[in-house]
Amino acid sequence: MIRNPVKLALASIAISMPLPICAEPADLDPIAATAEIGQVSQLQYDSSTGALLGVAGSKLISIDLTAGTTARVAQLGGEIVALALDQEAGVAGTLTADNSTISLISVGDGTTVGQIDSAVESPGAMTVDGSTGQFVGASSSIPELTLVPVDGTSVRKVQLPGPASQLVANSRGWLFATAADRRAVYVVDTERGTSLGQFPVSGCEGPRSPIIDDVERRLYVACSNGLLVAIDSDTGVVLGRIPIPKNAVDMALAGTSGRIINIIVATRDGLWLASGRITAQNATRLTESLDGVSALARGPDDSVFVVHDQTISRLRR
C-alpha cells in the first residue's frame, strides 16, 4: 500500500564517502554536430522514431542517430525553456518563455495539435505523467503546477507549498517536483490533481535533476552543494547521500543490473558515474575533461546521450 508522505517521519541512512579523484575512462561516439542549429539545451530520446528530440533556442529539432543529421521539427514563437515527450502518443510538449505558452506538437509531422496561451507564468519545467497521459508544467516563481491532457482540451491547476524547479513522474500516478526555495521534494497525485505534501531533504541545497527508478521505487536528486540523494519514493525516507561534484547540470539513469544502480551525473566540464547497490555507493569520473556539457538523455539499451561542445555524442562504457 502506498502511504501518504505527509504523515511519515523522515529517516536517514547517510553514506559518507570521499569523492574519488581517479578517472574511470569512457568513450564518446560523436553522433551529430550542432554548430549550425545553436546550443542544444535539452534532449529526449524518441522510441517511436529512434531519433533524438532536442531544443535549440526557439526550435524543436530531430537528430537522426544513423545519419547524424539534424532537422527542424517546429519553430515556436519564443525561447523553449522546457521539453517533455509523450512516447505513446508521439507528442512533444514545450513551454516557451516569452508568452508562457504550452504547445503540443506532433513529432511525426511537426503540426501543432494543441496550444494554451498564458498557461504557466514564469515557466520553468515540464514533464509527462505516463499513468494519466498528462503534460505537467511548473512555474519558477508561482507555487503551482499546470496539468494538460495530450489533446490540450483542458487545464487543471495544483497548488504546491512553493515554486518547483524540475519535475519527474513515476508509473503509478505520483509526480515529484524539486523545490525551488527549500530543501524538499513536493509530491502530487496527478490523477486526483492534489498535493500530497513534501519530502524534506535535509542538507540538500538547490535540489534539481530528479530521476526515478520505478523498479526499486527510488527517487534520486542532485544537490548544488555536491550531493546525490537517494530517496524511497513511497515514503520519503532518505536512503543515502553520495558525494558528487557541485552544481551538476543533469542526471540520467543508465540502467540497473540486478540490484545495482548506475547513474550518469553531468557537470559543465565532464561526466561522472554513481554506481552501487540500490542507493549507489560512490561516484567516479568518466571523462578527463569535456567542455560545455548541457544535457543528457537516456536512450535504448541503457545507452546515454550527452550534449557537449557543439556536439551530441553517445556515451560508451
Side-chain angles (χ1 to χ4, degrees), residues 5-6 8 10 145 160-168 175-188 195-211 219-225 227 229-232 235-238 241:
V6 177
L8 293 167
L10 177 69
L145 297 179
L160 298 175
S165 59
Q166 290 183 316
L167 311 171
V168 70
L175 180 139
F176 304 93
T178 50
D181 61 353
R182 66 192 74 182
R183 304 180 190 95
V185 176
Y186 305 132
V187 187
V188 171
S195 172
L196 298 176
Q198 57 186 297
F199 291 157
V201 190
S202 62
C204 181
E205 302 290 343
R208 57 171 291 118
S209 302
I211 56 176
L219 172 69
Y220 297 92
V221 175
C223 311
S224 63
N225 56 327
L227 290 174
V229 179
I231 303 168
D232 185 308
T235 67
V237 170
V238 174
R241 294 179 173 87

Side-chain angles (χ1 to χ4, degrees), residues 76-82 94-103 120 123:
L76 279 75
E79 180 185 1
I80 302 171
V81 297
T94 64
L95 270 174
T96 50
D98 296 348
N99 48 17
S100 304
T101 296
I102 292 178
S103 298
V120 181

Side-chain angles (χ1 to χ4, degrees), residues 119-135:
V120 181
E121 184 177 344
S122 302
M126 196 175 204
T127 194
V128 170
D129 174 30
S131 65
T132 60
Q134 297 179 100
F135 287 95

Side-chain angles (χ1 to χ4, degrees), residues 298-315:
R298 184 182 183 185
D301 302 321
D302 295 330
S303 61
V304 173
F305 298 93
V306 55
V307 180
H308 64 99
D309 194 27
Q310 299 186 331
T311 304
I312 297 174
S313 299
R314 180 188 286 111
L315 178 66

Side-chain angles (χ1 to χ4, degrees), residues 16 20 26 32 44 64 86 109 148 157 164 170 186 192 209 215 224-225 233 237 244 266 269 274 286 316:
S16 179
Q44 299 261 349
D64 187 305
D86 187 321
D109 58 15
V148 178
K157 299 286 187 179
N170 66 15
Y186 305 132
R192 295 180 174 85
S209 302
V215 175
S224 63
N225 56 327
S233 64
V237 170
I244 61 173
D269 63 352
L286 291 174
R316 179 160 47 86

Side-chain angles (χ1 to χ4, degrees), residues 26-245:
D27 293 325
L28 289 171
D29 295 330
I31 301 296
T34 62
E36 294 185 0
I37 59 176
Q39 177 64 42
V40 176
S41 59
Q42 298 186 52
L43 204 62
Q44 299 261 349
Y45 176 73
D46 181 6
S47 59
S48 66
T49 63
L52 289 170
L53 200 64
V55 167
S58 61
K59 298 185 292 290
L60 185 63
I61 60 171
S62 176
I63 301 100
D64 187 305
L65 295 179
T66 302
T69 55
T70 60
R72 188 177 68 184
V73 176
Q75 177 84 47
L76 279 75
E79 180 185 1
I80 302 171
V81 297
L83 168 69
L85 179 62
D86 187 321
Q87 303 274 0
E88 185 174 338
V91 174
T94 64
L95 270 174
T96 50
D98 296 348
N99 48 17
S100 304
T101 296
I102 292 178
S103 298
L104 306 178
I105 301 164
S106 170
V107 175
D109 58 15
T111 58
T112 299
V113 298
Q115 181 171 304
I116 302 161
D117 296 326
S118 302
V120 181
E121 184 177 344
S122 302
M126 196 175 204
T127 194
V128 170
D129 174 30
S131 65
T132 60
Q134 297 179 100
F135 287 95
V136 184
S139 167
S140 60
S141 61
I142 307 297
E144 67 179 19
L145 297 179
T146 301
L147 281 61
V148 178
V150 71
D151 58 8
T153 55
S154 62
V155 175
R156 286 195 298 170
K157 299 286 187 179
V158 178
Q159 300 302 307
L160 298 175
S165 59
Q166 290 183 316
L167 311 171
V168 70
N170 66 15
S171 61
R172 300 182 299 279
W174 278 19
L175 180 139
F176 304 93
T178 50
D181 61 353
R182 66 192 74 182
R183 304 180 190 95
V185 176
Y186 305 132
V187 187
V188 171
D189 183 323
T190 51
E191 184 173 355
R192 295 180 174 85
T194 57
S195 172
L196 298 176
Q198 57 186 297
F199 291 157
V201 190
S202 62
C204 181
E205 302 290 343
R208 57 171 291 118
S209 302
I211 56 176
I212 195 80
D213 173 12
D214 259 329
V215 175
E216 298 292 347
R217 300 194 177 195
R218 301 291 185 258
L219 172 69
Y220 297 92
V221 175
C223 311
S224 63
N225 56 327
L227 290 174
L228 189 161
V229 179
I231 303 168
D232 185 308
S233 64
D234 287 346
T235 67
V237 170
V238 174
L239 302 170
R241 294 179 173 87
I242 304 98
I244 61 173

